[in-house]
Amino acid sequence: MRNLRAKCLVAIVILLGIASSAQTLQREQSPLIQRLHKLQRRGVMFGHQDDTFYGLGWKWQQHRSDVLETCGDYPAVLGFELGGLEQEHNRNLDSVPFDMMRREMLAHLDRGGIVTVSWHPRNPLTGGNAWDVTSTQAVTSILSGGANHAMFTQWMNRVAEFLKSVSPDGSSIIFRPWHENNGSWFWWGKDLCTQEEYLSLWSMMQDHLIGSGLRRMVWSYSPNLDGSMTMDDFLSRYPGDDRVDLIGIDAYQNGTAQEFTRDVDANLTMLQRYCKSHRKLLALTECGYRSTPDPQWWTATLLPLVKRFKLSYALTWRNENLTECFGPWPQGVSAPDFKRFYQHKRTLFLNDISNR
Ligand code: BMA
């Protein structure tokens, strides 16, 4: 009997130990989530990747922004990219110095803006870039027990340290890893790993960052636009309601405006329903029309979409040059139309959301 009692006691102590260590991995809600829900009711925030680093015809000039110079205000949301940080490079894959990135993130948060971070890490197995899809073993190799797990743990530590240097508990950051995973152009894509491997990849990364102290980060999950995506397709690699706060799609117009609208409509109709009943935020986590050759694209294509759905934000990708350019710029053919987009009461820019 005494023996049994002792055994029970030991079991209870072990269970409590497990429970408390699981608790240290527990996520906490950031006040940013509440703020984003409130803003989503007011309108859609405009976002732009790498907005304050470079634009068409300029680079590394502090306070400049193609969006600012087109419409008179900064985007509400700025997008930043960590690719390269995992290997301790001083600049990311698009040559943005990480020191400058940290400074701009802090400056934008200080102005009351919203910050979102993506990551295109290099292929941990082949040494190639994020688009190296020559092996289906890259994901397995970094999961627990894999040959590259220790190396990838270091990569995650570097990401964690950088994010913590901006926001010690992560509460100011929307983090969007392992994106466009329904396509097969990244080493974590659909044909490159199984559903189980993808889900393990997500939870390994998330648990590791939470364990590093980033307990209050806002987690964003964003497959790519696919007009034929069903709810089952979506759910097959969705990490789960306890692991995701914001659901988005990366949606670029590659064909006609009609095709784009049809596909975005299909995806957002389905995802908006899900977000409503599961209390998740919804966004166009990346969007745009390469060099925006349609002079009315902002008000005739994007605006109707963002009016039809309740979206947190629509973030256009970077303005690197005329072929890799998705946001507005002052000399672009669609610049006058962007001003009309800016003036619409449902589009929110920095001054609309900043509490100053
Ligand atoms: C892609 C392209 C690449 C870039 C990457 C990360 O969509 O813009 O040129 O390196 O994003 O920003």
Side-chain angles (χ1 to χ4, degrees):
M1 187 66 184
R2 267 179 87 156
N3 203 0
L4 184 67
R5 215 178 276 160
K7 275 184 183 158
C8 283
L9 216 68
V10 170
I12 289 170
V13 169
I14 292 173
L15 282 175
L16 280 177
I18 292 171
S20 77
S21 75
Q23 213 151 42
T24 56
L25 292 181
Q26 203 102 110
R27 298 211 294 137
E28 289 170 19
Q29 263 235 347
S30 164
L32 175 57
I33 296 182
Q34 280 321 105
R35 182 172 177 223
L36 290 171
H37 276 289
K38 249 194 211 160
L39 288 166
Q40 186 171 291
R41 287 191 284 274
R42 267 180 59 200
V44 60
M45 293 187 281
F46 183 77
H48 192 211
Q49 182 74 6
D50 280 356
D51 182 73
T52 53
F53 299 133
Y54 51 81
L56 291 199
W58 63 275
K59 242 177 186 199
W60 322 132
Q61 286 170 264
Q62 223 183 339
H63 308 303
R64 284 196 72 171
S65 146
D66 276 352
V67 173
L68 175 72
E69 288 167 29
T70 307
C71 72
D73 198 359
Y74 285 106
V77 181
L78 292 192
F80 299 91
E81 162 60 37
L82 299 186
L85 183 71
E86 68 277 7
Q87 294 185 329
E88 293 186 298
H89 297 168
N90 293 328
R91 293 167 176 262
N92 80 356
L93 75 170
D94 303 319
S95 40
V96 178
F98 286 110
D99 284 346
M100 189 186 286
M101 192 184 298
R102 182 185 295 107
R103 188 192 70 203
E104 286 302 306
M105 288 167 89
L106 289 167
H108 195 62
L109 291 172
D110 195 48
R111 306 190 273 257
I114 305 289
V115 161
T116 177
V117 176
S118 57
W119 187 32
H120 291 73
R122 293 188 69 83
N123 186 313
L125 183 64
T126 64
N129 63 23
W131 294 266
D132 181 343
V133 290
T134 52
S135 169
T136 54
Q137 298 306 304
V139 172
T140 357
S141 83
I142 58 174
L143 295 177
S144 166
N148 294 321
H149 181 67
M151 178 192 80
F152 193 75
T153 302
Q154 253 190 340
W155 287 17
M156 293 191 286
N157 286 339
R158 290 171 187 149
V159 167
E161 285 319 305
F162 181 82
L163 295 175
K164 278 160 66 177
S165 74
V166 174
S167 176
D169 62 358
S171 57
S172 316
I173 295 171
I174 303 173
F175 187 51
R176 191 174 68 89
W178 314 131
H179 61 302
E180 300 176 12
N181 61 328
N182 53 339
S184 296
W185 46 85
F186 293 130
W187 56 260
W188 57 88
K190 187 161 179 273
D191 296 339
L192 287 306
C193 59
T194 65
Q195 176 191 2
E196 288 73 26
E197 285 162 357
Y198 180 82
L199 294 173
S200 302
L201 174 68
W202 182 285
S203 45
M204 173 182 73
M205 171 98 185
Q206 187 166 42
D207 292 348
H208 193 81
L209 294 201
I210 294 167
S212 317
L214 292 159
R215 294 181 313 279
R216 301 169 95 193
M217 208 142 65
V218 178
W219 289 79
S220 163
Y221 175 72
S222 60
N224 200 65
L225 175 68
D226 171 5
S228 64
M229 193 195 315
T230 64
M231 201 59 210
D232 282 348
D233 294 334
F234 171 76
L235 288 175
S236 70
R237 293 190 183 212
Y238 177 61
D241 284 345
D242 51 342
R243 294 192 169 274
V244 172
D245 305 299
L246 184 149
I247 294 170
I249 46 169
D250 288 5
Y252 291 94
Q253 179 173 329
N254 296 316
T256 66
Q258 285 75 11
E259 288 160 350
F260 177 70
T261 302
R262 182 199 61 207
D263 291 349
V264 176
D265 250 324
N267 285 179
L268 290 184
T269 302
M270 179 178 89
L271 294 177
Q272 177 163 272
R273 204 171 302 136
Y274 186 88
C275 286
K276 238 184 166 170
S277 53
H278 294 246
R279 223 181 135 60
K280 300 294 166 197
L281 295 150
L282 181 64
L284 286 176
T285 34
E286 290 184 27
C287 67
Y289 183 15
R290 194 175 286 277
S291 68
T292 328
D294 171 355
Q296 254 92 53
W297 192 75
W298 303 103
T299 59
T301 302
L302 188 59
L303 189 61
L305 283 170
V306 300
K307 275 165 66 183
R308 236 184 342 276
F309 298 97
K310 276 221 151 44
L311 297 181
S312 172
Y313 67 85
L315 180 134
T316 49
W317 207 242
R318 61 205 197 101
N319 281 14
E320 191 200 9
N321 52 43
L322 272 176
T323 49
E324 188 67 9
C325 173
F326 301 91
W329 77 101
Q331 293 80 29
V333 287
S334 69
D337 190 55
F338 188 77
K339 283 186 209 150
R340 293 189 284 274
F341 176 84
Y342 160 75
Q343 279 153 2
H344 194 278
K345 61 179 188 315
R346 277 202 64 78
T347 59
L348 306 174
F349 287 71
L350 182 65
N351 281 327
D352 301 310
I353 69 155
S354 152
N355 11 11
R356 295 172 179 194

